Amino acid sequence: QVQLVESGGGLVQAGGSLRLSCAASKNIFSFNVMGWFRQAPGKTREMVAVITAGGTTNYRASAQGRATVSRDSAKNTVDLQMNSLKPEDTAVYYCFSNYQGSDYWGQGTQVTVSS
């Protein structure tokens, strides 16, 4: 069974940066895919950035160029560096992973970007 714990959320001003981390109970390199989704009030959950076992990344168009998803071997985490944050980035961010064919989600961490 996999446990995912997010951290790093908070309140930032527009144009600022934030780094989210997802700590996994399994070796992060054993996951088929890991990444970040977000859900804003009144909206559906949407993919922000994902990274495959092979290291291939995929970003939501609105996050492209502003977000970077990476894996930290030392900490066994999957991180999301977000720069040039906008108010529309405000949402609960969830860590996602697929491990041996099953999907797992973290509890989420709130990111609020003020204007």
PDB file of all heavy atoms in Angstrom, residues 37-47 60 62 86-92 94:
ATOM      1  N   PHE A  37      -1.933  17.148  -9.239  1.00  0.00           N
ATOM      2  CA  PHE A  37      -3.219  17.608  -9.723  1.00  0.00           C
ATOM      3  C   PHE A  37      -3.681  18.720  -8.805  1.00  0.00           C
ATOM      4  O   PHE A  37      -3.158  18.886  -7.705  1.00  0.00           O
ATOM      5  CB  PHE A  37      -4.246  16.470  -9.714  1.00  0.00           C
ATOM      6  CG  PHE A  37      -4.061  15.465 -10.819  1.00  0.00           C
ATOM      7  CD1 PHE A  37      -2.946  14.637 -10.856  1.00  0.00           C
ATOM      8  CD2 PHE A  37      -5.016  15.339 -11.817  1.00  0.00           C
ATOM      9  CE1 PHE A  37      -2.776  13.705 -11.858  1.00  0.00           C
ATOM     10  CE2 PHE A  37      -4.868  14.405 -12.834  1.00  0.00           C
ATOM     11  CZ  PHE A  37      -3.750  13.593 -12.857  1.00  0.00           C
ATOM     12  N   ARG A  38      -4.663  19.464  -9.243  1.00  0.00           N
ATOM     13  CA  ARG A  38      -5.203  20.512  -8.393  1.00  0.00           C
ATOM     14  C   ARG A  38      -6.694  20.650  -8.623  1.00  0.00           C
ATOM     15  O   ARG A  38      -7.215  20.291  -9.674  1.00  0.00           O
ATOM     16  CB  ARG A  38      -4.507  21.850  -8.655  1.00  0.00           C
ATOM     17  CG  ARG A  38      -4.808  22.457 -10.024  1.00  0.00           C
ATOM     18  CD  ARG A  38      -3.945  23.674 -10.268  1.00  0.00           C
ATOM     19  NE  ARG A  38      -4.215  24.300 -11.545  1.00  0.00           N
ATOM     20  CZ  ARG A  38      -3.465  25.249 -12.091  1.00  0.00           C
ATOM     21  NH1 ARG A  38      -2.385  25.688 -11.447  1.00  0.00           N
ATOM     22  NH2 ARG A  38      -3.792  25.766 -13.265  1.00  0.00           N
ATOM     23  N   GLN A  39      -7.350  21.166  -7.624  1.00  0.00           N
ATOM     24  CA  GLN A  39      -8.776  21.383  -7.721  1.00  0.00           C
ATOM     25  C   GLN A  39      -9.138  22.694  -7.040  1.00  0.00           C
ATOM     26  O   GLN A  39      -8.928  22.860  -5.842  1.00  0.00           O
ATOM     27  CB  GLN A  39      -9.560  20.233  -7.089  1.00  0.00           C
ATOM     28  CG  GLN A  39     -11.057  20.315  -7.306  1.00  0.00           C
ATOM     29  CD  GLN A  39     -11.760  19.012  -6.979  1.00  0.00           C
ATOM     30  OE1 GLN A  39     -11.219  18.162  -6.276  1.00  0.00           O
ATOM     31  NE2 GLN A  39     -12.959  18.843  -7.496  1.00  0.00           N
ATOM     32  N   ALA A  40      -9.663  23.598  -7.827  1.00  0.00           N
ATOM     33  CA  ALA A  40     -10.096  24.892  -7.325  1.00  0.00           C
ATOM     34  C   ALA A  40     -11.579  24.812  -6.991  1.00  0.00           C
ATOM     35  O   ALA A  40     -12.298  23.946  -7.508  1.00  0.00           O
ATOM     36  CB  ALA A  40      -9.844  25.969  -8.364  1.00  0.00           C
ATOM     37  N   PRO A  41     -12.058  25.698  -6.137  1.00  0.00           N
ATOM     38  CA  PRO A  41     -13.473  25.694  -5.776  1.00  0.00           C
ATOM     39  C   PRO A  41     -14.375  25.774  -7.002  1.00  0.00           C
ATOM     40  O   PRO A  41     -14.165  26.623  -7.871  1.00  0.00           O
ATOM     41  CB  PRO A  41     -13.622  26.941  -4.907  1.00  0.00           C
ATOM     42  CG  PRO A  41     -12.272  27.108  -4.297  1.00  0.00           C
ATOM     43  CD  PRO A  41     -11.319  26.743  -5.404  1.00  0.00           C
ATOM     44  N   GLY A  42     -15.347  24.885  -7.074  1.00  0.00           N
ATOM     45  CA  GLY A  42     -16.283  24.891  -8.177  1.00  0.00           C
ATOM     46  C   GLY A  42     -15.758  24.300  -9.467  1.00  0.00           C
ATOM     47  O   GLY A  42     -16.451  24.338 -10.487  1.00  0.00           O
ATOM     48  N   LYS A  43     -14.556  23.764  -9.437  1.00  0.00           N
ATOM     49  CA  LYS A  43     -13.970  23.193 -10.637  1.00  0.00           C
ATOM     50  C   LYS A  43     -13.596  21.731 -10.421  1.00  0.00           C
ATOM     51  O   LYS A  43     -13.498  21.257  -9.301  1.00  0.00           O
ATOM     52  CB  LYS A  43     -12.730  23.981 -11.057  1.00  0.00           C
ATOM     53  CG  LYS A  43     -13.007  25.414 -11.475  1.00  0.00           C
ATOM     54  CD  LYS A  43     -11.748  26.081 -11.990  1.00  0.00           C
ATOM     55  CE  LYS A  43     -12.019  27.490 -12.469  1.00  0.00           C
ATOM     56  NZ  LYS A  43     -10.784  28.134 -12.991  1.00  0.00           N
ATOM     57  N   THR A  44     -13.389  21.046 -11.525  1.00  0.00           N
ATOM     58  CA  THR A  44     -12.972  19.651 -11.455  1.00  0.00           C
ATOM     59  C   THR A  44     -11.469  19.564 -11.230  1.00  0.00           C
ATOM     60  O   THR A  44     -10.735  20.520 -11.473  1.00  0.00           O
ATOM     61  CB  THR A  44     -13.336  18.900 -12.744  1.00  0.00           C
ATOM     62  OG1 THR A  44     -12.729  19.552 -13.867  1.00  0.00           O
ATOM     63  CG2 THR A  44     -14.840  18.876 -12.948  1.00  0.00           C
ATOM     64  N   ARG A  45     -11.038  18.411 -10.778  1.00  0.00           N
ATOM     65  CA  ARG A  45      -9.624  18.208 -10.562  1.00  0.00           C
ATOM     66  C   ARG A  45      -8.910  18.128 -11.909  1.00  0.00           C
ATOM     67  O   ARG A  45      -9.372  17.459 -12.831  1.00  0.00           O
ATOM     68  CB  ARG A  45      -9.399  16.932  -9.754  1.00  0.00           C
ATOM     69  CG  ARG A  45      -7.975  16.744  -9.277  1.00  0.00           C
ATOM     70  CD  ARG A  45      -7.878  15.587  -8.287  1.00  0.00           C
ATOM     71  NE  ARG A  45      -8.668  15.837  -7.089  1.00  0.00           N
ATOM     72  CZ  ARG A  45      -8.682  15.029  -6.025  1.00  0.00           C
ATOM     73  NH1 ARG A  45      -7.937  13.929  -6.020  1.00  0.00           N
ATOM     74  NH2 ARG A  45      -9.438  15.323  -4.983  1.00  0.00           N
ATOM     75  N   GLU A  46      -7.790  18.803 -12.007  1.00  0.00           N
ATOM     76  CA  GLU A  46      -7.057  18.850 -13.255  1.00  0.00           C
ATOM     77  C   GLU A  46      -5.582  18.553 -13.043  1.00  0.00           C
ATOM     78  O   GLU A  46      -5.010  18.861 -12.000  1.00  0.00           O
ATOM     79  CB  GLU A  46      -7.217  20.212 -13.929  1.00  0.00           C
ATOM     80  CG  GLU A  46      -6.713  21.379 -13.096  1.00  0.00           C
ATOM     81  CD  GLU A  46      -7.011  22.724 -13.724  1.00  0.00           C
ATOM     82  OE1 GLU A  46      -7.995  22.821 -14.476  1.00  0.00           O
ATOM     83  OE2 GLU A  46      -6.258  23.680 -13.457  1.00  0.00           O
ATOM     84  N   MET A  47      -4.986  17.973 -14.042  1.00  0.00           N
ATOM     85  CA  MET A  47      -3.571  17.652 -13.984  1.00  0.00           C
ATOM     86  C   MET A  47      -2.746  18.909 -14.142  1.00  0.00           C
ATOM     87  O   MET A  47      -3.042  19.751 -14.981  1.00  0.00           O
ATOM     88  CB  MET A  47      -3.217  16.648 -15.085  1.00  0.00           C
ATOM     89  CG  MET A  47      -1.790  16.127 -15.041  1.00  0.00           C
ATOM     90  SD  MET A  47      -0.623  17.167 -15.986  1.00  0.00           S
ATOM     91  CE  MET A  47      -1.080  16.736 -17.667  1.00  0.00           C
ATOM     92  N   ARG A  60       0.417  20.853 -17.768  1.00  0.00           N
ATOM     93  CA  ARG A  60      -0.770  21.527 -18.218  1.00  0.00           C
ATOM     94  C   ARG A  60      -0.305  22.782 -18.938  1.00  0.00           C
ATOM     95  O   ARG A  60       0.655  23.430 -18.516  1.00  0.00           O
ATOM     96  CB  ARG A  60      -1.654  21.887 -17.030  1.00  0.00           C
ATOM     97  CG  ARG A  60      -2.963  22.536 -17.411  1.00  0.00           C
ATOM     98  CD  ARG A  60      -3.851  22.784 -16.209  1.00  0.00           C
ATOM     99  NE  ARG A  60      -5.179  23.204 -16.626  1.00  0.00           N
ATOM    100  CZ  ARG A  60      -6.122  22.374 -17.022  1.00  0.00           C
ATOM    101  NH1 ARG A  60      -5.916  21.073 -17.019  1.00  0.00           N
ATOM    102  NH2 ARG A  60      -7.302  22.846 -17.404  1.00  0.00           N
ATOM    103  N   SER A  62      -1.310  25.805 -19.078  1.00  0.00           N
ATOM    104  CA  SER A  62      -1.235  27.021 -18.282  1.00  0.00           C
ATOM    105  C   SER A  62      -0.078  27.009 -17.278  1.00  0.00           C
ATOM    106  O   SER A  62       0.292  28.052 -16.755  1.00  0.00           O
ATOM    107  CB  SER A  62      -2.555  27.261 -17.547  1.00  0.00           C
ATOM    108  OG  SER A  62      -2.856  26.197 -16.666  1.00  0.00           O
ATOM    109  N   LYS A  86       0.023  32.816 -10.184  1.00  0.00           N
ATOM    110  CA  LYS A  86      -1.105  33.679 -10.497  1.00  0.00           C
ATOM    111  C   LYS A  86      -2.276  33.326  -9.590  1.00  0.00           C
ATOM    112  O   LYS A  86      -2.363  32.203  -9.102  1.00  0.00           O
ATOM    113  CB  LYS A  86      -1.520  33.500 -11.960  1.00  0.00           C
ATOM    114  CG  LYS A  86      -0.403  33.710 -12.961  1.00  0.00           C
ATOM    115  CD  LYS A  86      -0.868  33.369 -14.362  1.00  0.00           C
ATOM    116  CE  LYS A  86       0.246  33.539 -15.369  1.00  0.00           C
ATOM    117  NZ  LYS A  86      -0.196  33.172 -16.745  1.00  0.00           N
ATOM    118  N   PRO A  87      -3.180  34.265  -9.378  1.00  0.00           N
ATOM    119  CA  PRO A  87      -4.355  33.968  -8.548  1.00  0.00           C
ATOM    120  C   PRO A  87      -5.122  32.738  -9.030  1.00  0.00           C
ATOM    121  O   PRO A  87      -5.683  32.007  -8.213  1.00  0.00           O
ATOM    122  CB  PRO A  87      -5.200  35.237  -8.676  1.00  0.00           C
ATOM    123  CG  PRO A  87      -4.184  36.313  -8.849  1.00  0.00           C
ATOM    124  CD  PRO A  87      -3.143  35.693  -9.752  1.00  0.00           C
ATOM    125  N   GLU A  88      -5.146  32.506 -10.332  1.00  0.00           N
ATOM    126  CA  GLU A  88      -5.843  31.355 -10.865  1.00  0.00           C
ATOM    127  C   GLU A  88      -5.159  30.026 -10.546  1.00  0.00           C
ATOM    128  O   GLU A  88      -5.703  28.961 -10.821  1.00  0.00           O
ATOM    129  CB  GLU A  88      -6.048  31.480 -12.388  1.00  0.00           C
ATOM    130  CG  GLU A  88      -4.794  31.856 -13.141  1.00  0.00           C
ATOM    131  CD  GLU A  88      -4.723  33.344 -13.446  1.00  0.00           C
ATOM    132  OE1 GLU A  88      -4.975  34.155 -12.529  1.00  0.00           O
ATOM    133  OE2 GLU A  88      -4.422  33.705 -14.603  1.00  0.00           O
ATOM    134  N   ASP A  89      -3.977  30.094  -9.963  1.00  0.00           N
ATOM    135  CA  ASP A  89      -3.292  28.888  -9.520  1.00  0.00           C
ATOM    136  C   ASP A  89      -3.802  28.436  -8.154  1.00  0.00           C
ATOM    137  O   ASP A  89      -3.443  27.357  -7.676  1.00  0.00           O
ATOM    138  CB  ASP A  89      -1.782  29.108  -9.440  1.00  0.00           C
ATOM    139  CG  ASP A  89      -1.141  29.295 -10.803  1.00  0.00           C
ATOM    140  OD1 ASP A  89      -1.519  28.572 -11.751  1.00  0.00           O
ATOM    141  OD2 ASP A  89      -0.251  30.157 -10.921  1.00  0.00           O
ATOM    142  N   THR A  90      -4.604  29.266  -7.542  1.00  0.00           N
ATOM    143  CA  THR A  90      -5.160  28.941  -6.233  1.00  0.00           C
ATOM    144  C   THR A  90      -6.001  27.673  -6.313  1.00  0.00           C
ATOM    145  O   THR A  90      -6.927  27.576  -7.113  1.00  0.00           O
ATOM    146  CB  THR A  90      -6.019  30.098  -5.702  1.00  0.00           C
ATOM    147  OG1 THR A  90      -5.192  31.240  -5.480  1.00  0.00           O
ATOM    148  CG2 THR A  90      -6.688  29.714  -4.383  1.00  0.00           C
ATOM    149  N   ALA A  91      -5.663  26.711  -5.484  1.00  0.00           N
ATOM    150  CA  ALA A  91      -6.358  25.432  -5.482  1.00  0.00           C
ATOM    151  C   ALA A  91      -5.765  24.534  -4.413  1.00  0.00           C
ATOM    152  O   ALA A  91      -4.741  24.855  -3.811  1.00  0.00           O
ATOM    153  CB  ALA A  91      -6.239  24.752  -6.850  1.00  0.00           C
ATOM    154  N   VAL A  92      -6.416  23.420  -4.203  1.00  0.00           N
ATOM    155  CA  VAL A  92      -5.839  22.379  -3.371  1.00  0.00           C
ATOM    156  C   VAL A  92      -5.038  21.497  -4.312  1.00  0.00           C
ATOM    157  O   VAL A  92      -5.570  21.005  -5.313  1.00  0.00           O
ATOM    158  CB  VAL A  92      -6.908  21.545  -2.644  1.00  0.00           C
ATOM    159  CG1 VAL A  92      -6.256  20.399  -1.876  1.00  0.00           C
ATOM    160  CG2 VAL A  92      -7.704  22.422  -1.690  1.00  0.00           C
ATOM    161  N   TYR A  94      -2.941  18.128  -5.112  1.00  0.00           N
ATOM    162  CA  TYR A  94      -2.879  16.743  -4.690  1.00  0.00           C
ATOM    163  C   TYR A  94      -1.741  15.996  -5.361  1.00  0.00           C
ATOM    164  O   TYR A  94      -1.541  16.101  -6.566  1.00  0.00           O
ATOM    165  CB  TYR A  94      -4.183  16.017  -5.023  1.00  0.00           C
ATOM    166  CG  TYR A  94      -5.405  16.565  -4.332  1.00  0.00           C
ATOM    167  CD1 TYR A  94      -6.158  17.572  -4.916  1.00  0.00           C
ATOM    168  CD2 TYR A  94      -5.806  16.061  -3.097  1.00  0.00           C
ATOM    169  CE1 TYR A  94      -7.285  18.071  -4.290  1.00  0.00           C
ATOM    170  CE2 TYR A  94      -6.931  16.554  -2.463  1.00  0.00           C
ATOM    171  CZ  TYR A  94      -7.669  17.557  -3.068  1.00  0.00           C
ATOM    172  OH  TYR A  94      -8.787  18.050  -2.448  1.00  0.00           O
TER     173      TYR A  94
END
